[in-house]
Amino acid sequence: MTREIIEGIQTIEREKGIESGTLIEALEDALLAAYKKTPGAARHATVELDQDTGDFRVFSIDLPGDIEERLVDEARERAIDALEQQEEETGEKSHVLVTDEELTIDLTDVPEDVIQREEVTPDDFGRIAAQTAKQVILQRIREAEREMMYDEYIDRVTEVVTGIVQ
């Protein structure tokens, strides 16, 4: 990746008013999703993006079996709780299958000395991986725009406002 990506993020930040931190995080998540679509991808991985140069590196994470099992169980519980909360808010049953491959584990409370990291940055991504990355980035931009609009109007809940629908 080149400096052009960072310039693109700065352009989106200026035009849409989305914070660059949100866009960088979206880009990292997109690169991770793209890496997961490549053949032979590690089960757990992280992406580190250099914000100055636009270069990124993918690291596979290898954990001891007992710690990995505990972290996957915790991630599964978080995913199920989030689905139950969504069902409660919408009143509709969710028929989502939660698989272990899609779970995001939280490594914050794991000691650094038990984590084995190895750089596995691919030379290039395939077509499907690139499409996945594009979808993740576009979805994050839409979510950020929706959140900005929500924040703009949340203070006007009891007010009557007029507007033009185009």
Side-chain angles (χ1 to χ4, degrees):
M1 213 177 330
T2 63
R3 181 79 184 144
E4 294 169 357
I5 297 293
I6 301 301
E7 291 171 1
I9 287 174
Q10 292 170 346
T11 302
I12 293 172
E13 179 183 14
R14 281 191 307 273
E15 290 177 359
K16 297 189 180 266
I18 301 171
E19 294 179 10
S20 64
T22 303
L23 295 170
I24 295 289
E25 186 178 309
L27 183 58
E28 287 176 345
D29 289 346
L31 290 169
L32 181 60
Y35 168 72
K36 295 266 182 166
K37 294 282 185 178
T38 59
R43 182 173 181 188
H44 305 294
T46 59
V47 174
E48 293 178 3
L49 181 70
D50 184 352
Q51 295 184 23
D52 297 326
T53 63
D55 293 332
F56 72 95
R57 295 185 353 214
V58 180
F59 294 96
S60 68
I61 298 174
D62 193 23
L63 299 167
D66 57 335
I67 294 175
E68 181 179 5
E69 186 176 326
R70 179 178 56 87
L71 292 175
V72 168
D73 288 342
E74 290 173 0
R76 190 179 304 116
E77 282 295 318
R78 281 193 308 272
I80 290 172
D81 289 345
L83 286 172
E84 288 173 350
Q85 181 181 0
Q86 182 182 3
E87 287 177 359
E88 215 173 90
E89 290 173 357
T90 62
E92 296 178 8
K93 287 287 185 188
S94 176
H95 302 287
V96 175
L97 180 64
V98 178
T99 61
D100 289 350
E101 289 77 28
E102 296 172 353
L103 296 174
T104 304
I105 61 172
D106 184 15
L107 297 171
T108 54
D109 62 343
V110 179
E112 285 290 324
D113 58 331
V114 299
I115 298 175
Q116 295 178 3
R117 293 170 39 121
E118 180 183 343
E119 186 172 351
V120 291
T121 307
D123 294 331
D124 62 345
F125 290 111
R127 180 184 61 83
I128 294 174
Q131 284 178 328
T132 302
K134 178 182 173 184
Q135 289 172 350
V136 169
I137 291 171
L138 292 175
Q139 179 64 30
R140 288 293 182 87
I141 289 172
R142 281 192 296 270
E143 288 173 1
E145 287 175 328
R146 258 188 239 120
E147 187 175 324
M148 287 172 35
M149 192 174 297
Y150 176 80
D151 291 342
E152 183 178 338
Y153 290 104
I154 188 64
D155 297 335
R156 299 180 176 193
V157 169
T158 58
E159 295 178 26
V160 176
V161 295
T162 60
I164 298 172
V165 178
Q166 295 181 340

